[in-house]
Amino acid sequence: MRTNRLLLACTTLIGGLSLATVGALPAFAAPEKKAEATESASKPASPETVIATVDGQKITVGDMQDAMSQLPPAVMSVPREKIVPLVLGQLISQKAIEVAAQKAKIENDPEVKAAMKQASEAALMNAYIKQQVAPKITEASMKAYYDTHYGNKKPEEEVHARHILVDSEARAKELIAQLDKGADFGKLAADNSSDTATAKNNGGDLGWFKRGDMIAEFSKAAFATKPNTYTKTPIHTVYGWHVIQVLGTRTAPVPKYEEVQGQIRQEMLKEEIGKVVHAAEKSVKIVRYDENGKPLPDAPAKAK
């Protein structure tokens, strides 16, 4: 039972991923030699320093540092003397299982071979993409991206609206007639709208959106409707028939760089990874085959 609790605690500790970094670990001196421990703790331990062995296989300070670097930031507030033994215990357990698997020659199992091959290929692919992409995602390049895609844009108009979605024009007209008599829009949406994402809990509320955020017919009607009024005729889209109520309008300011920095990073990563994939495909010969193993002709070139 004690072992199970320890493993659970260790797994919980090192299960999260973060960019937290940890300096060199202090030397693992015996508790009674306080003077030596203090002196050695002031000197960074070499990553090659062995802190445990399992059947002769080494666990080093570098291994410990790698594990510690993956701890969630919240865990780093826990006293170090409590974290280190737990993480070391987990590394020992993992190494023990690895040794047991090697003795059992589990790597010869076809399924294990396939899994190891896939893991190896994934690691190689990810390392290549990281090597090609990481140097391009810099603070300077992200700010340049911001200037091009955000900073030079004019503030955009936004609308705050809610809607009721039904499957026929006649039903939409009935709901508009009820609104004309003073019915509550939110209650009608909750009781009648087929948009389950907004109907029950939000009374059809869609929040704030820009023109390009919605399909053309819906946006055109919403932006043409004055605040605190609703469409007097049903609006038809591919989803059905809508009754739209506009709750407010505003001009959204251009976001500051700090507000969209994370989003810019993701957008640039997606762009750059796409370029790497495209370049890799262009640099190799690709042959496609039909279900009978017969090579398929190359796709015809697009007309200029």
Side-chain angles (χ1 to χ4, degrees):
M1 180 65 72
R2 181 179 178 184
T3 301
N4 290 340
R5 285 200 300 268
L6 177 61
L7 287 174
L8 178 60
C10 293
T11 303
T12 302
L13 277 174
I14 70 170
L17 294 176
S18 74
L19 296 179
T21 56
V22 181
L25 294 168
F28 292 84
E32 63 272 11
K33 297 181 180 179
K34 295 182 180 178
E36 292 180 17
T38 303
E39 182 181 353
S40 61
S42 64
K43 300 177 182 178
S46 168
E48 288 77 30
T49 300
V50 177
I51 54 176
T53 60
V54 178
D55 236 18
Q57 296 195 25
K58 299 175 182 178
I59 297 174
T60 66
V61 167
D63 296 328
M64 176 70 81
Q65 289 172 340
D66 289 342
M68 295 281 283
S69 71
Q70 297 182 50
L71 294 175
V75 175
M76 300 313 296
S77 61
V78 178
R80 197 176 184 81
E81 62 270 17
K82 292 184 179 179
I83 296 178
V84 169
L86 288 173
V87 175
L88 179 57
Q90 180 71 0
L91 291 175
I92 289 172
S93 297
Q94 291 172 347
K95 184 63 72 175
I97 293 172
E98 181 184 338
V99 170
Q102 290 170 347
K103 290 179 178 179
K105 299 189 181 302
I106 197 72
E107 71 273 13
N108 295 327
D109 182 279
E111 290 187 8
V112 176
K113 278 186 176 180
M116 292 174 68
K117 181 175 180 293
Q118 290 175 0
S120 176
E121 291 171 349
L124 187 64
M125 180 183 69
N126 290 336
Y128 178 75
I129 289 176
K130 182 178 179 181
Q131 181 191 69
Q132 297 296 311
V133 171
K136 299 178 182 178
I137 312 298
T138 64
E139 189 70 12
S141 67
M142 289 195 295
K143 285 184 176 177
Y145 186 97
Y146 170 83
D147 291 339
T148 301
H149 295 82
Y150 292 87
N152 293 330
K153 285 188 174 181
K154 295 180 179 179
E156 290 187 69
E157 185 183 4
E158 289 185 330
V159 161
H160 181 196
R162 53 185 179 177
H163 78 138
I164 305 171
L165 175 63
V166 291
D167 60 3
S168 71
E169 183 180 15
R171 182 59 184 145
K173 287 182 176 179
E174 290 176 6
L175 294 173
I176 291 172
Q178 293 183 47
L179 290 170
D180 290 340
K181 294 178 181 179
D184 180 80
F185 193 100
K187 188 174 187 310
L188 286 181
D191 294 340
N192 297 276
S193 182
S194 60
D195 180 2
T196 55
T198 65
K200 298 299 180 183
N201 297 327
N202 300 323
D205 198 337
L206 296 165
W208 292 94
F209 56 87
K210 298 178 177 65
R211 290 182 185 273
D213 294 340
M214 301 292 181
I215 55 178
E217 302 91 340
F218 191 96
S219 275
K220 183 178 179 181
F223 279 87
T225 304
K226 294 180 179 180
N228 301 313
T229 64
Y230 51 87
T231 52
K232 295 297 184 178
T233 57
I235 307 301
H236 187 236
T237 72
V238 293
Y239 297 104
W241 296 87
H242 306 258
V243 180
I244 305 170
Q245 182 186 45
V246 172
L247 302 175
T249 60
R250 70 183 183 188
T251 300
V254 176
K256 296 179 180 178
Y257 171 73
E258 292 75 15
E259 296 172 346
V260 292
Q261 185 177 7
Q263 182 178 334
I264 288 174
R265 182 184 296 276
Q266 293 304 314
E267 290 171 356
M268 290 184 67
L269 282 172
K270 185 177 179 181
E271 260 185 38
E272 294 299 333
I273 290 172
K275 292 177 183 178
V276 171
V277 173
H278 180 70
E281 290 179 347
K282 292 285 287 183
S283 68
V284 297
K285 179 177 177 60
I286 299 172
V287 180
R288 292 178 172 84
Y289 300 84
D290 63 18
E291 63 273 13
N292 298 315
K294 182 180 178 181
L296 294 172
D298 292 340
K302 293 181 179 179
K304 294 184 180 179

